[in-house]
Amino acid sequence: MKQRTIGKRVEGVGIGLHKGEPIKLILEPLEADSGVVFYRSDMATSFKAEPSSVLNTQMATVIGNEKATVSTIEHLMSAINSYGIDNIRVILDANEVPVMDGSAISFCMMLDEAGIVELEADKKVIVVKREVEVREGDKYVKLTPSTNPKFNYTIKFENPVIGLQSYTFEFSKENFINQIARARTFGFLKDVQKLNSMGLALGGSLDNAVVIDGGKILNPEGLRFENEFVRHKILDAIGDISLLGAPMIGDYEAFAGSHDLNHKLTVALLSDEKNYEIITLSEATQKEYEKAFA
């Protein structure tokens, strides 16, 4: 199995969630062993999508260096990872990835337009060798060995619109497009109003988020899935875990997880070489793992 990149350069424009201003997004092909590279065209600086680049996980996953940052990368990273893309350049003229409709489906459409091409180099994956867990109170995230990756997520909110929701997602590109990619980010009206007063979430609207007020959903079209909330949490988790720097072969499980816990989980996995193995998918090894890249 070979490494992948995109077939051509594609461009898009969307609103930034926090600043509320238009942001230009360009995706470009990269050669083998380049990884996912973010480039701030307005600051002339690049950084790779990897755990050491993570600077903040409070409200979204933020990566960067001493010169610049990019926020809210998780939806785009989720699509890139689920399409099996190993090498790509993400060019932005602002400090956040545009929110689009609050899901990953717009990024899937850009990747479909660009097309996927295989490179000469063999694909590398990171295989989970033993259980790794990060727990804070009753909240936890963990990785366990598996040759058929799954994301098993449970959320519990006091709000009756969400309540207790669980979903298990069997990882593949087709399943991602059909089951996860269209699930939108969500929030509560009172929290949005508070963020607006702080100069944040100025681009947030019913066009790019599911907004809940008390016991009702404000979006006139309602939900895209009955359990859209937990599906979006899986979307976020796929994006966060993809910062490992190579496709992950293992199972992910979470109860009330977060961007912060996901980042701590990637750091914990990589902190001990007994936790994982990086392997090259030659013809002899790819059969065991090829379903994950269908």
Side-chain angles (χ1 to χ4, degrees):
M1 185 171 288
K2 301 299 183 181
Q3 292 184 30
R4 297 174 183 172
T5 187
I6 56 175
K8 65 177 183 179
R9 171 185 169 119
V10 291
E11 299 183 9
V13 176
I15 296 297
L17 178 61
H18 289 305
K19 294 290 183 64
E21 299 172 349
I23 296 171
K24 187 175 184 179
L25 168 66
I26 301 172
L27 304 179
E28 288 185 343
L30 275 184
E31 61 273 10
D33 298 318
S34 297
V36 180
V37 178
F38 281 77
Y39 177 69
R40 282 284 301 274
S41 59
D42 56 327
M43 303 294 286
T45 188
S46 294
F47 33 85
K48 291 186 72 172
E50 57 190 11
S52 62
S53 298
V54 176
L55 301 178
N56 192 306
T57 52
Q58 185 177 3
M59 295 174 55
T61 298
V62 182
I63 63 172
N65 57 23
E66 66 281 356
K67 291 184 178 180
T69 63
V70 173
S71 175
T72 324
I73 67 168
E74 54 272 11
H75 302 170
L76 173 59
M77 288 297 297
S78 190
I80 290 171
N81 182 255
S82 297
Y83 271 61
I85 295 169
D86 306 282
N87 310 288
I88 191 170
R89 191 178 194 222
V90 180
I91 304 173
L92 296 156
D93 60 358
N95 66 348
E96 56 182 321
V97 175
V99 67
M100 301 306 198
D101 73 342
S103 76
I105 196 65
S106 295
F107 304 124
C108 293
M109 293 169 67
M110 289 183 71
L111 294 174
D112 286 338
E113 180 186 349
I116 310 300
V117 297
E118 289 194 340
L119 302 167
E120 290 296 318
D122 288 333
K123 193 178 192 77
K124 296 175 183 176
V125 298
I126 184 165
V127 179
V128 178
K129 301 300 289 184
R130 63 181 185 180
E131 182 177 306
V132 177
E133 179 178 277
V134 176
R135 183 178 290 268
E136 292 181 359
D138 63 345
K139 301 176 181 180
Y140 72 87
V141 292
K142 70 178 178 180
L143 297 173
T144 52
S146 170
T147 57
N148 184 26
K150 293 180 290 295
F151 283 72
N152 184 354
Y153 212 119
T154 299
I155 58 173
K156 186 177 182 180
F157 284 76
E158 295 300 324
N159 186 282
V161 174
I162 304 177
L164 180 68
Q165 294 187 6
S166 295
Y167 193 72
T168 298
F169 166 69
E170 188 170 318
F171 188 87
S172 75
K173 175 187 173 183
E174 181 179 358
N175 287 348
F176 178 79
I177 294 169
N178 293 331
Q179 301 174 22
I180 302 297
R182 293 178 61 249
R184 296 162 293 176
T185 192
F186 60 93
F188 299 94
L189 181 62
K190 59 181 177 61
D191 295 331
V192 174
Q193 293 169 335
K194 182 180 178 181
L195 289 170
N196 288 165
S197 70
M198 298 164 59
L200 299 171
L202 299 178
S205 72
L206 297 180
D207 293 328
N208 54 41
V210 178
V211 181
I212 302 162
D213 184 20
K216 63 180 179 180
I217 294 170
L218 298 185
N219 305 65
E221 76 279 13
L223 296 176
R224 293 176 175 175
F225 305 95
E226 182 180 359
N227 56 355
E228 185 169 358
F229 305 106
V230 71
R231 291 183 192 231
H232 185 78
K233 287 293 189 178
I234 291 175
L235 189 159
D236 280 345
I238 294 170
D240 288 341
I241 296 300
S242 72
L243 284 163
L244 283 169
M248 186 269 294
I249 304 295
D251 284 347
Y252 169 97
E253 183 181 329
F255 176 78
S258 64
H259 296 301
D260 186 56
L261 285 176
N262 288 337
H263 171 57
K264 289 175 178 175
L265 183 62
T266 61
V267 172
L269 179 75
L270 298 176
S271 67
D272 189 336
E273 292 183 355
K274 295 178 182 177
N275 293 337
Y276 68 95
E277 180 183 8
I278 296 176
I279 67 170
T280 299
L281 292 186
S282 62
E283 287 187 13
T285 58
Q286 75 178 56
K287 198 74 176 175
E288 189 176 10
Y289 304 112
E290 64 185 357
K291 189 175 180 181
F293 303 101

